[in-house]
Amino acid sequence: MARRRQAVTIKHVAADAGVSLQTVSRVINNEANVSPEMKLRVQASIDKLGYVPSIAAQRMSGSRSYLILAINDRDRTIADWRARLGADWVDQMLLGGMLKCAEHGYRLVFELVDTHSDHVERALLGAIAALQPDGIILTPPHSDNPQIVRFLGGQNIPFVRIGSKQNGVGISLSMDDEGAARAACRHLFDLGHRRIGFIAGSSEYELSQWRIDGWKAAMSEFGVSCEGLLEQGDFSYDSGEMAARRLLQRAERPSAIIASNDQMALATLEVAREQGLKVPKDLSLISFDNTPIVRFTQPPLTAIDQPIAETASLAVELIIAAKKGESASSPLSTIRAPLVERGSVCAPADRFGG
């Protein structure tokens, strides 16, 4: 029987190079207090032995753990996974975060935390104690949860708050929800729509209000009233269905609707069909999120593309920079969300949006 090849460890590299374990770790971590000659010497041993650095080896310098902890909402994430609704928030977050981590020799660890739990601080403390992360990424609605933000503010760990525009504790990172809603509304105005309805998301998320603000700002720019055109949802299909019915059953129904996420947009599409309205001939429809499912509806939905991967990637960069002691260039970083045009939008038949 062939002998199993022994795995190469940091100890083998140190012995081959004739240096300490800490010196090898400093080279692996690209720290400044190592001479160029020593770097070449250690790197030659790494190449010769085919050594692949582990997190344990990287941690030996004592200054970093090379782990970044990303936290998402437990109930909503599990509900989406079980329902298999086609939402890809987690996939995109892992895509952007993991690739950026890999560039810097880091690992991304994904945890689910119950926002509504009385033991949320205990859960966070347990994760921090076990992993000792170099930084934490908070996603909505955790980003603006006062209890979570206040707790992390006292942990001496850099953390990024995705979907937050608040200054103060943590690093705020916005996906420009207000600007994206304004752009969607302007796109409809340019086509001739004037009665543009809006279905808002859950008030638990601050970004829901920012999207309303963007829609209202665009309506104001064109001197158009918002009266009777705003309905509240909670990001679920059922809430979108009820909101769409209220909008489309009005005597002066909207000629276009912007829905705050894809599930509510899909519900609106179905309600329009039930009422004999053709999209986009009788009703134009724009969604937020741009998850994969909206490409396969009939017609495919025009949507604001949430740049989740790019945002997670930037969050990792901001944490690594903060860990190095580098301050952010501005208190708020923003990534623009583009409008992806498909077949659910056209000019209203009468060009006045009635």
Side-chain angles (χ1 to χ4, degrees), residues 187-257:
H187 180 65
L188 294 168
F189 273 117
D190 290 343
L191 291 171
H193 293 275
R194 293 299 178 265
R195 288 190 57 78
I196 301 172
F198 195 90
I199 300 177
S202 170
S203 58
E204 186 178 359
Y205 293 72
E206 289 202 11
L207 58 82
S208 294
Q209 185 58 51
W210 302 336
R211 294 175 184 179
I212 294 173
D213 293 342
W215 167 71
K216 285 184 174 180
M219 297 283 274
S220 178
E221 285 176 21
F222 285 85
V224 176
S225 172
C226 298
E227 185 69 28
L229 292 173
L230 174 63
E231 288 293 341
Q232 183 69 50
D234 62 12
F235 290 130
S236 69
Y237 184 96
D238 290 343
S239 73
E241 183 178 18
M242 289 186 289
R245 289 191 194 283
R246 289 192 293 267
L247 285 172
L248 295 177
Q249 288 173 352
R250 293 201 168 108
E252 289 187 80
R253 65 169 178 80
S255 67
I257 290 176

Side-chain angles (χ1 to χ4, degrees), residues 286-299:
I286 295 180
S287 180
F288 264 83
D289 288 347
N290 196 36
T291 54
I293 195 171
V294 301
R295 291 176 291 165
F296 305 110
T297 58
Q298 289 298 323

Side-chain angles (χ1 to χ4, degrees), residues 3-195:
R3 292 184 64 185
R4 186 175 180 181
R5 185 178 178 184
Q6 184 180 16
V8 178
T9 69
I10 190 172
K11 292 181 179 179
H12 295 115
V13 175
D16 187 79
V19 299
S20 68
L21 297 177
Q22 287 75 17
T23 297
V24 177
S25 181
R26 285 195 288 270
V27 172
I28 292 171
N29 295 329
N30 197 28
E31 295 184 10
N33 57 341
V34 183
S35 68
E37 295 79 10
M38 186 60 71
K39 285 184 179 180
L40 289 174
R41 182 173 163 183
V42 172
Q43 189 60 51
S45 293
I46 289 174
D47 295 340
K48 171 186 170 183
L49 299 173
Y51 172 65
V52 178
S54 67
I55 289 179
Q58 290 173 306
R59 283 183 167 187
M60 286 188 68
S61 64
S63 60
R64 285 176 282 179
S65 69
Y66 290 87
L67 294 176
I68 291 177
L69 175 61
I71 296 175
N72 211 45
D73 184 78
R74 177 180 177 81
D75 290 346
R76 289 178 176 85
T77 302
I78 291 176
D80 285 345
W81 283 343
R82 285 176 172 164
R84 304 179 74 176
L85 296 175
D88 66 344
W89 168 277
V90 172
D91 291 347
Q92 289 298 307
M93 184 175 68
L94 293 177
L95 170 65
M98 292 177 75
L99 290 181
K100 184 56 65 176
C101 278
E103 288 181 24
H104 296 273
Y106 273 73
R107 298 292 186 272
L108 186 73
V109 181
F110 183 70
E111 288 276 335
L112 299 179
V113 173
D114 184 1
T115 306
H116 306 93
S117 172
D118 294 334
H119 308 296
V120 63
E121 292 185 11
R122 186 186 306 170
L124 289 172
L125 188 59
I128 292 170
L131 299 170
Q132 298 178 9
D134 285 344
I136 295 175
I137 300 173
L138 291 179
T139 58
H142 295 321
S143 309
D144 288 307
N145 181 307
Q147 183 183 11
I148 293 176
V149 171
R150 185 171 54 251
F151 172 77
L152 290 181
Q155 299 302 306
N156 196 30
I157 300 174
F159 63 99
V160 172
R161 302 162 62 184
I162 292 178
S164 174
K165 296 194 295 185
Q166 295 185 19
N167 296 328
V169 183
I171 304 167
S172 295
L173 181 52
S174 166
M175 288 187 282
D176 193 30
D177 295 273
E178 184 173 342
R182 188 185 297 115
C185 201
R186 284 174 176 165
H187 180 65
L188 294 168
F189 273 117
D190 290 343
L191 291 171
H193 293 275
R194 293 299 178 265
R195 288 190 57 78

Side-chain angles (χ1 to χ4, degrees), residues 323-343:
K323 190 66 177 177
K324 292 179 179 178
E326 302 171 6
S327 59
S329 56
S330 66
L332 173 66
S333 298
T334 301
I335 293 184
R336 304 298 174 188
L339 178 72
V340 180
E341 296 185 47
R342 297 193 182 93

